[in-house]
Amino acid sequence: MADQIPVIELQHVDKHYGKLHVLRDINLSVHKGEVLVLIGPSGSGKSTLCRTINRLETIDSGQILIEGKELPQEGRELAQMRAEIGMVFQSFNLFAHKTILQNVTLGPIEVLKTPKNIAEAEAMELLDRVGVAEQAHKVPAQLSGGQQQRVAIARSLAMHPKAMLFDEPTSALDPEMINEVLEVMVELAREGMTMVVVTHEMNFARRVSNRVVFMADGQIVEEGTPDEFFDHPKSDRAKDFLDSIRGH
Amino acid sequence: MSAHATSMRDALYEAPGPRTRRLTIIGTTISMILVAIGLALVVRQFYVTGQLDAKYWSFFAEWSTWRYLLKGFVGTLEVAAMAAAISLVLGILLMLGRISSNRLLAIVTRIIIDFFRGVPSLLLIYFFYLVIPQYGIRLPSFWMITLPVALAASGVLAEVFRAGVNAVPKGQTEAALSIGLTPGKTMRKIVLPQALRIVVPSLISQLVVVVKDTTVAYVVSYPDLMQNARVLISNHDSVVSMYLVAAVIYILINFAINQLSIYMARRSGTPIISRTTENPT
C-alpha cells in the first residue's frame, strides 16, 4: 500500500481561529480502502481536521491532496472535488424542504446529470440498503434521528464517492439509534469504502478501523492500530483520555 | 408554530393566576366602558354638527357613487398588486447583492437598500412626479405611483428576505456544498426555497404597507380609491361621511390581507406531509 498514491493526504496543515491554533502541522494520509478513526477530547481539532478535507474549513498553510492532486480553492473544480468525497454530519443536515427520495437524488440529478428515472431507481436501492426505503416519500422531520442519519449516508453514497468523511455521525443520536447507524457504517467499511470517521464509539473503532489517530490541542499525539492504541496507549494524554471515556 | 394551540402570548408570558385574571376582567370592563363613552361622544358630536344629516349620506344610495368607488378600488388593487410584484423581484435581487461575497456589489446594494428603506415613499413619489418629467420622461400616472411605492417596499423586502436566508440553518448549505452543488445552485435549490417559506407571513404583512402607500396616488392624480373618494367629497361636500366609508374599505382590504398572512403562517408552520404517505411517525 505504501507505494500507492493516498486517497487523502494532508501535509503540514496549519489553521488558526484568531489566536487559537486549532490545527498544528498535521501530516496524515489515508489509503484506498482504509478506515481511519479520529479520536480525541472535544476542542482537539478532530472535527475541524475532518472538515478541511472537503474545504468546509479553509486552512492557513500546508497542503491537502486528493489522489495526489491539490484540493481546489473555489469554483467548479472545488464543487467537482466535493462531489467525489462524501460527508456525513453530526446533525444529519437533510434538506428540510425535500422528500427523502429527493434528498438522495438531488446530487446525482444536479451534479452528475443522471436522468431522473435512473437516479430515482438507484436512490431507492440505496435507501433499501440502509433500511429506510419505505420512508422515501416522507420529509426529514417525519423520520427518527437514526433514520435521518442513514438517509444522509445514502445521500452521500448516491454520488459514488471515492472516500467518505463522518463528522461525529452518532453524537446527536439517542442511544438506541446509534447501532442502526453504526451497522450501516460497518457494512460500508467491509465493502472497502475509504473512510475518515470522527467518533467516540470505541467498539466501532476496534471492530472496523485500520488505524486510530489520537488528537489533542490541534496536534496528532499518537496513532496506531486500534488494538495498540486502546490496549497500550503510549502518551499520557491518550491514557488520560481513554480513562475518562471508559469512566471507571 | 405547531398545530398545538400555543400562541405567541403563551410562549412569552406565564399563565395568569386568579388575582391577575380578576384584574384583567376589571381592566377590560373599564376600558370597554370608556370606549363606549368615547364612541357615543363622537356620534353625538356628529349629530350636533349635522354630519348625520341625510344630505351627507343620501348619495351612497346611488349606484353611480358605488360604481365610481369600485373603479377606485380596482385602481388601488392594480397599483398595489403591480407594486408588490415588482418589489418582490427587486427585493430578492437586492438581497442577493447584499449577501454576495463580492464586496463592491454588497456595499452598493446595501446603500440602495438603506436609501429606499430610509426615504419616505411620498418623497420618492414627488421625485417621479416632479423631477423625472424634467428630463423629458413622461410616465403614465399609474407608473408614477407604482414605481416609487415598489422601490420603497423593495428595500424593506430585501431585509425581510435576508432575515429569511439567515434563518436557514448553516448545515443545509454545508450539506449542499458537500454533495458538489456550486454556491449559486446551493442558494437557488436549497437556501432560497426554505427562506421564502420562513418569510411568507412577513411578506404578506408588508403588503398592507404597500396598500397604504398607494393612498398618496392623488398626488399624481391616479384614480385610486382615495383619489376617487376625494372627487366624491368635492362633488357632494361630504368630508366626514366619505372618508369614513373609504377608511372602512381600506380596513377591509388590509383585514383580508392579514387573514391571508395568518392562514399562510399556520400552513407553513405545520409539518409538510407529502401526498403519498400514510401517517407521520
Side-chain angles (χ1 to χ4, degrees):
Chain A
M1 272 227 277
D3 47 281
Q4 267 182 355
I5 298 171
V7 180
I8 298 166
E9 188 173 9
L10 285 81
Q11 296 173 344
H12 306 295
V13 168
D14 265 277
K15 181 181 177 68
H16 298 255
Y17 280 131
K19 282 211 168 132
L20 201 63
H21 203 165
V22 281
L23 295 177
R24 296 166 191 254
D25 193 30
I26 302 287
N27 291 284
L28 189 70
S29 51
V30 188
H31 287 87
K32 194 166 175 7
E34 211 180 358
V35 176
L36 184 119
V37 163
L38 280 172
I39 201 166
S42 67
S44 61
K46 54 196 192 310
S47 276
T48 309
L49 175 59
C50 182
R51 288 160 55 86
T52 59
I53 298 172
N54 67 355
R55 214 176 184 276
L56 287 179
E57 299 280 353
T58 55
I59 58 175
D60 297 340
S61 60
Q63 277 203 89
I64 297 173
L65 305 172
I66 307 294
E67 290 187 327
K69 281 178 293 189
E70 201 173 338
L71 186 69
Q73 306 266 309
E74 61 197 332
R76 295 214 163 269
E77 297 76 30
L78 176 61
Q80 169 77 28
M81 193 61 91
R82 280 175 171 154
E84 292 171 6
I85 302 171
M87 175 99 188
V88 174
F89 300 87
Q90 180 176 351
S91 48
F92 332 133
N93 296 345
L94 293 182
F95 305 130
H97 62 308
K98 300 212 172 275
T99 66
I100 298 308
L101 183 64
Q102 288 168 337
N103 262 276
V104 182
T105 58
L106 184 83
I109 292 173
E110 295 292 335
V111 179
L112 305 177
K113 309 292 177 199
T114 311
K116 191 168 176 235
N117 55 338
I118 295 174
E120 283 184 349
E122 202 180 334
M124 285 311 295
E125 240 168 73
L126 285 168
L127 288 173
D128 191 44
R129 199 169 127 196
V130 298
V132 285
E134 64 285 7
Q135 321 285 347
H137 297 285
K138 294 186 182 171
V139 291
Q142 293 172 281
L143 269 59
S144 73
Q147 289 172 327
Q148 290 192 51
Q149 195 60 300
R150 285 182 280 152
V151 173
I153 295 172
R155 175 174 69 180
S156 284
L157 287 175
M159 300 300 291
H160 305 291
K162 288 175 183 159
M164 282 182 75
L165 311 172
F166 293 83
D167 185 8
E168 303 208 30
T170 57
S171 301
L173 294 174
D174 290 337
E176 75 268 26
M177 293 170 183
I178 290 175
N179 275 331
E180 63 189 51
V181 172
L182 289 181
E183 280 315 312
V184 172
M185 292 169 61
V186 170
E187 184 85 358
L188 271 178
R190 296 252 155 84
E191 289 164 15
M193 177 63 77
T194 311
M195 294 161 69
V196 174
V197 186
V198 177
T199 186
H200 293 297
E201 296 295 330
M202 290 204 289
N203 287 332
F204 172 82
R206 265 183 194 274
R207 268 167 76 197
V208 301
S209 78
N210 307 89
R211 198 147 48 104
V212 174
V213 171
F214 175 73
M215 285 183 76
D217 301 324
Q219 275 173 308
I220 294 180
V221 177
E222 70 173 273
E223 53 179 293
T225 66
D227 288 344
E228 277 169 18
F229 176 75
F230 289 115
D231 297 336
H232 309 287
K234 285 171 270 182
S235 63
D236 290 340
R237 285 301 308 253
K239 278 176 202 159
D240 287 350
F241 175 72
L242 287 173
D243 282 346
S244 72
I245 57 172
R246 282 181 183 128
H248 356 259
Chain B
M1 285 300 281
S2 65
H4 307 294
T6 328
S7 69
M8 187 63 87
R9 192 178 153 280
D10 295 334
L12 287 178
Y13 307 106
E14 61 173 344
R19 207 166 67 92
T20 316
R21 271 204 300 271
R22 216 166 330 132
L23 280 175
T24 312
I25 290 171
I26 295 169
T28 310
T29 317
I30 291 175
S31 46
M32 275 169 68
I33 291 170
L34 288 178
V35 168
I37 292 173
L39 272 178
L41 283 176
V42 168
V43 173
R44 200 185 90 95
Q45 198 60 27
F46 279 177
Y47 181 75
V48 170
T49 54
Q51 286 297 337
L52 297 181
D53 288 1
K55 64 169 176 171
Y56 292 128
W57 296 90
S58 57
F59 66 97
F60 284 113
E62 289 161 31
W63 169 233
S64 63
T65 302
W66 289 103
R67 198 175 50 202
Y68 196 59
L69 280 179
L70 189 71
K71 251 193 196 157
F73 176 76
V74 171
T76 290
L77 290 192
E78 279 174 354
V79 170
M82 181 56 87
I86 293 173
S87 64
L88 278 178
V89 175
L90 210 55
I92 290 190
L93 291 178
L94 285 174
M95 178 277 289
L96 289 176
R98 172 87 164 78
I99 63 170
S100 153
S101 49
N102 181 333
R103 278 279 174 77
L104 184 69
L105 183 63
I107 290 172
V108 169
T109 43
R110 184 172 180 179
I111 291 171
I112 296 175
I113 290 169
D114 285 349
F115 178 79
F116 286 142
R117 269 199 327 155
V119 174
S121 46
L122 187 58
L123 220 82
L124 290 174
I125 291 167
Y126 276 129
F127 178 79
F128 275 82
Y129 181 53
L130 299 172
V131 181
I132 287 190
Q134 288 180 1
Y135 296 94
I137 303 162
R138 279 301 307 167
L139 289 171
S141 64
F142 176 79
W143 292 108
M144 285 198 288
I145 178 69
T146 303
L147 286 178
V149 168
L151 289 179
S154 67
V156 179
L157 289 188
E159 289 299 286
V160 170
F161 285 129
R162 198 165 67 92
V165 165
N166 287 340
V168 176
K170 207 156 182 296
Q172 297 284 312
T173 304
E174 291 185 348
L177 292 176
S178 72
I179 58 168
L181 294 192
T182 57
K185 229 173 198 179
T186 299
M187 179 53 70
R188 276 206 316 281
K189 298 268 171 188
I190 304 299
V191 179
L192 267 188
Q194 295 187 57
L196 286 181
R197 219 165 281 195
I198 295 169
V199 300
V200 157
S202 335
L203 285 185
I204 295 173
S205 317
Q206 190 57 33
L207 263 182
V208 172
V209 177
V210 169
V211 170
K212 290 206 285 188
D213 269 359
T214 63
T215 53
V216 279
Y218 68 82
V219 172
V220 300
S221 323
Y222 177 78
D224 78 330
L225 180 57
M226 196 64 164
Q227 165 70 7
N228 285 6
R230 283 162 58 91
V231 172
L232 287 172
I233 286 170
S234 54
N235 287 353
H236 299 279
D237 187 28
S238 58
V239 180
V240 173
S241 61
M242 190 60 245
Y243 274 153
L244 269 177
V245 170
V248 167
I249 297 174
Y250 276 113
I251 289 170
L252 288 178
I253 295 175
N254 288 333
F255 180 74
I257 294 172
N258 275 326
Q259 287 306 111
L260 182 67
S261 107
I262 290 166
Y263 168 76
M264 297 294 278
R266 221 173 262 155
R267 229 186 49 156
S268 61
T270 51
I272 318 126
I273 295 165
S274 88
R275 310 123 274 161
T276 44
T277 38
E278 334 72 85
N279 293 315
T281 40

mmCIF file of all heavy atoms in Angstrom, chain A residues 136-158:
data_model
loop_
_atom_site.group_PDB
_atom_site.id
_atom_site.type_symbol
_atom_site.label_atom_id
_atom_site.label_comp_id
_atom_site.label_asym_id
_atom_site.label_seq_id
_atom_site.Cartn_x
_atom_site.Cartn_y
_atom_site.Cartn_z
ATOM 1 N N ALA A 136 -39.425 6.722 1.793
ATOM 2 C CA ALA A 136 -38.914 7.525 0.670
ATOM 3 C C ALA A 136 -39.710 8.787 0.379
ATOM 4 O O ALA A 136 -39.166 9.776 -0.074
ATOM 5 C CB ALA A 136 -38.816 6.660 -0.584
ATOM 6 N N HIS A 137 -41.029 8.750 0.628
ATOM 7 C CA HIS A 137 -41.844 9.908 0.232
ATOM 8 C C HIS A 137 -42.190 10.820 1.402
ATOM 9 O O HIS A 137 -42.984 11.735 1.264
ATOM 10 C CB HIS A 137 -43.093 9.435 -0.503
ATOM 11 C CG HIS A 137 -42.743 8.725 -1.771
ATOM 12 N ND1 HIS A 137 -42.321 9.388 -2.896
ATOM 13 C CD2 HIS A 137 -42.693 7.407 -2.058
ATOM 14 C CE1 HIS A 137 -42.039 8.510 -3.841
ATOM 15 N NE2 HIS A 137 -42.253 7.296 -3.357
ATOM 16 N N LYS A 138 -41.577 10.561 2.560
ATOM 17 C CA LYS A 138 -41.783 11.461 3.687
ATOM 18 C C LYS A 138 -40.759 12.594 3.622
ATOM 19 O O LYS A 138 -39.839 12.565 2.827
ATOM 20 C CB LYS A 138 -41.620 10.699 5.004
ATOM 21 C CG LYS A 138 -42.705 9.659 5.213
ATOM 22 C CD LYS A 138 -42.589 9.038 6.576
ATOM 23 C CE LYS A 138 -43.653 7.964 6.762
ATOM 24 N NZ LYS A 138 -43.431 7.202 7.994
ATOM 25 N N VAL A 139 -40.944 13.571 4.517
ATOM 26 C CA VAL A 139 -39.927 14.630 4.631
ATOM 27 C C VAL A 139 -39.087 14.335 5.878
ATOM 28 O O VAL A 139 -39.532 13.608 6.771
ATOM 29 C CB VAL A 139 -40.555 16.037 4.712
ATOM 30 C CG1 VAL A 139 -41.189 16.415 3.395
ATOM 31 C CG2 VAL A 139 -41.556 16.128 5.848
ATOM 32 N N PRO A 140 -37.850 14.861 5.929
ATOM 33 C CA PRO A 140 -36.933 14.520 7.015
ATOM 34 C C PRO A 140 -37.531 14.643 8.418
ATOM 35 O O PRO A 140 -37.285 13.785 9.266
ATOM 36 C CB PRO A 140 -35.781 15.509 6.817
ATOM 37 C CG PRO A 140 -35.761 15.743 5.354
ATOM 38 C CD PRO A 140 -37.196 15.720 4.925
ATOM 39 N N ALA A 141 -38.325 15.694 8.658
ATOM 40 C CA ALA A 141 -38.847 15.922 10.008
ATOM 41 C C ALA A 141 -39.719 14.768 10.503
ATOM 42 O O ALA A 141 -39.959 14.632 11.696
ATOM 43 C CB ALA A 141 -39.643 17.221 10.047
ATOM 44 N N GLN A 142 -40.183 13.930 9.575
ATOM 45 C CA GLN A 142 -41.049 12.821 9.977
ATOM 46 C C GLN A 142 -40.262 11.569 10.358
ATOM 47 O O GLN A 142 -40.852 10.563 10.746
ATOM 48 C CB GLN A 142 -42.013 12.479 8.834
ATOM 49 C CG GLN A 142 -43.020 13.573 8.555
ATOM 50 C CD GLN A 142 -43.809 13.276 7.300
ATOM 51 O OE1 GLN A 142 -43.333 13.491 6.195
ATOM 52 N NE2 GLN A 142 -45.002 12.756 7.463
ATOM 53 N N LEU A 143 -38.932 11.610 10.208
ATOM 54 C CA LEU A 143 -38.106 10.435 10.489
ATOM 55 C C LEU A 143 -37.388 10.577 11.821
ATOM 56 O O LEU A 143 -37.126 11.682 12.284
ATOM 57 C CB LEU A 143 -37.068 10.261 9.372
ATOM 58 C CG LEU A 143 -37.456 9.371 8.183
ATOM 59 C CD1 LEU A 143 -38.690 9.896 7.491
ATOM 60 C CD2 LEU A 143 -36.306 9.243 7.217
ATOM 61 N N SER A 144 -37.034 9.435 12.407
ATOM 62 C CA SER A 144 -36.232 9.469 13.637
ATOM 63 C C SER A 144 -34.802 9.875 13.282
ATOM 64 O O SER A 144 -34.408 9.846 12.118
ATOM 65 C CB SER A 144 -36.229 8.093 14.292
ATOM 66 O OG SER A 144 -35.424 7.203 13.539
ATOM 67 N N GLY A 145 -34.044 10.248 14.300
ATOM 68 C CA GLY A 145 -32.660 10.651 14.078
ATOM 69 C C GLY A 145 -31.847 9.573 13.384
ATOM 70 O O GLY A 145 -31.103 9.836 12.447
ATOM 71 N N GLY A 146 -32.005 8.327 13.857
ATOM 72 C CA GLY A 146 -31.257 7.224 13.261
ATOM 73 C C GLY A 146 -31.605 7.044 11.794
ATOM 74 O O GLY A 146 -30.732 6.832 10.946
ATOM 75 N N GLN A 147 -32.912 7.155 11.493
ATOM 76 C CA GLN A 147 -33.338 7.033 10.091
ATOM 77 C C GLN A 147 -32.768 8.173 9.256
ATOM 78 O O GLN A 147 -32.280 7.957 8.143
ATOM 79 C CB GLN A 147 -34.864 7.042 10.006
ATOM 80 C CG GLN A 147 -35.508 5.779 10.547
ATOM 81 C CD GLN A 147 -37.024 5.892 10.626
ATOM 82 O OE1 GLN A 147 -37.570 6.973 10.862
ATOM 83 N NE2 GLN A 147 -37.700 4.787 10.420
ATOM 84 N N GLN A 148 -32.814 9.394 9.812
ATOM 85 C CA GLN A 148 -32.298 10.537 9.060
ATOM 86 C C GLN A 148 -30.819 10.361 8.754
ATOM 87 O O GLN A 148 -30.364 10.655 7.646
ATOM 88 C CB GLN A 148 -32.497 11.840 9.849
ATOM 89 C CG GLN A 148 -33.946 12.252 9.938
ATOM 90 C CD GLN A 148 -34.092 13.678 10.469
ATOM 91 O OE1 GLN A 148 -33.463 14.610 9.976
ATOM 92 N NE2 GLN A 148 -34.923 13.858 11.476
ATOM 93 N N GLN A 149 -30.058 9.869 9.743
ATOM 94 C CA GLN A 149 -28.628 9.717 9.506
ATOM 95 C C GLN A 149 -28.359 8.644 8.447
ATOM 96 O O GLN A 149 -27.452 8.775 7.642
ATOM 97 C CB GLN A 149 -27.899 9.399 10.821
ATOM 98 C CG GLN A 149 -26.398 9.571 10.771
ATOM 99 C CD GLN A 149 -25.962 10.983 10.430
ATOM 100 O OE1 GLN A 149 -26.285 11.505 9.358
ATOM 101 N NE2 GLN A 149 -25.223 11.600 11.321
ATOM 102 N N ARG A 150 -29.188 7.603 8.426
ATOM 103 C CA ARG A 150 -28.999 6.566 7.399
ATOM 104 C C ARG A 150 -29.318 7.134 6.019
ATOM 105 O O ARG A 150 -28.659 6.817 5.032
ATOM 106 C CB ARG A 150 -29.853 5.344 7.717
ATOM 107 C CG ARG A 150 -29.248 4.533 8.877
ATOM 108 C CD ARG A 150 -30.039 3.297 9.178
ATOM 109 N NE ARG A 150 -31.222 3.586 9.985
ATOM 110 C CZ ARG A 150 -32.322 2.858 9.961
ATOM 111 N NH1 ARG A 150 -32.419 1.811 9.146
ATOM 112 N NH2 ARG A 150 -33.335 3.158 10.735
ATOM 113 N N VAL A 151 -30.340 8.010 5.961
ATOM 114 C CA VAL A 151 -30.641 8.671 4.686
ATOM 115 C C VAL A 151 -29.453 9.542 4.264
ATOM 116 O O VAL A 151 -29.068 9.562 3.094
ATOM 117 C CB VAL A 151 -31.917 9.543 4.787
ATOM 118 C CG1 VAL A 151 -32.118 10.355 3.518
ATOM 119 C CG2 VAL A 151 -33.122 8.677 5.081
ATOM 120 N N ALA A 152 -28.853 10.248 5.243
ATOM 121 C CA ALA A 152 -27.705 11.109 4.929
ATOM 122 C C ALA A 152 -26.562 10.277 4.339
ATOM 123 O O ALA A 152 -25.884 10.719 3.409
ATOM 124 C CB ALA A 152 -27.242 11.846 6.182
ATOM 125 N N ILE A 153 -26.384 9.069 4.861
ATOM 126 C CA ILE A 153 -25.341 8.196 4.311
ATOM 127 C C ILE A 153 -25.703 7.792 2.880
ATOM 128 O O ILE A 153 -24.875 7.843 1.971
ATOM 129 C CB ILE A 153 -25.133 6.957 5.212
ATOM 130 C CG1 ILE A 153 -24.586 7.393 6.576
ATOM 131 C CG2 ILE A 153 -24.193 5.951 4.559
ATOM 132 C CD1 ILE A 153 -24.510 6.278 7.616
ATOM 133 N N ALA A 154 -26.977 7.468 2.668
ATOM 134 C CA ALA A 154 -27.427 7.098 1.315
ATOM 135 C C ALA A 154 -27.236 8.276 0.357
ATOM 136 O O ALA A 154 -26.831 8.097 -0.800
ATOM 137 C CB ALA A 154 -28.886 6.666 1.341
ATOM 138 N N ARG A 155 -27.519 9.484 0.841
ATOM 139 C CA ARG A 155 -27.352 10.678 0.002
ATOM 140 C C ARG A 155 -25.903 10.825 -0.451
ATOM 141 O O ARG A 155 -25.623 11.154 -1.600
ATOM 142 C CB ARG A 155 -27.788 11.918 0.788
ATOM 143 C CG ARG A 155 -27.558 13.232 0.058
ATOM 144 C CD ARG A 155 -28.135 14.404 0.800
ATOM 145 N NE ARG A 155 -27.405 14.685 2.042
ATOM 146 C CZ ARG A 155 -27.714 15.674 2.868
ATOM 147 N NH1 ARG A 155 -28.752 16.455 2.605
ATOM 148 N NH2 ARG A 155 -27.022 15.877 3.971
ATOM 149 N N SER A 156 -24.963 10.557 0.469
ATOM 150 C CA SER A 156 -23.549 10.622 0.100
ATOM 151 C C SER A 156 -23.178 9.509 -0.869
ATOM 152 O O SER A 156 -22.467 9.736 -1.846
ATOM 153 C CB SER A 156 -22.671 10.490 1.342
ATOM 154 O OG SER A 156 -22.673 11.685 2.058
ATOM 155 N N LEU A 157 -23.687 8.309 -0.605
ATOM 156 C CA LEU A 157 -23.333 7.159 -1.449
ATOM 157 C C LEU A 157 -23.830 7.344 -2.873
ATOM 158 O O LEU A 157 -23.223 6.854 -3.823
ATOM 159 C CB LEU A 157 -23.926 5.872 -0.864
ATOM 160 C CG LEU A 157 -23.243 5.352 0.391
ATOM 161 C CD1 LEU A 157 -24.002 4.141 0.931
ATOM 162 C CD2 LEU A 157 -21.795 4.974 0.095
ATOM 163 N N ALA A 158 -24.934 8.057 -3.035
ATOM 164 C CA ALA A 158 -25.507 8.252 -4.369
ATOM 165 C C ALA A 158 -24.545 8.980 -5.299
ATOM 166 O O ALA A 158 -24.688 8.922 -6.517
ATOM 167 C CB ALA A 158 -26.820 9.028 -4.269
#
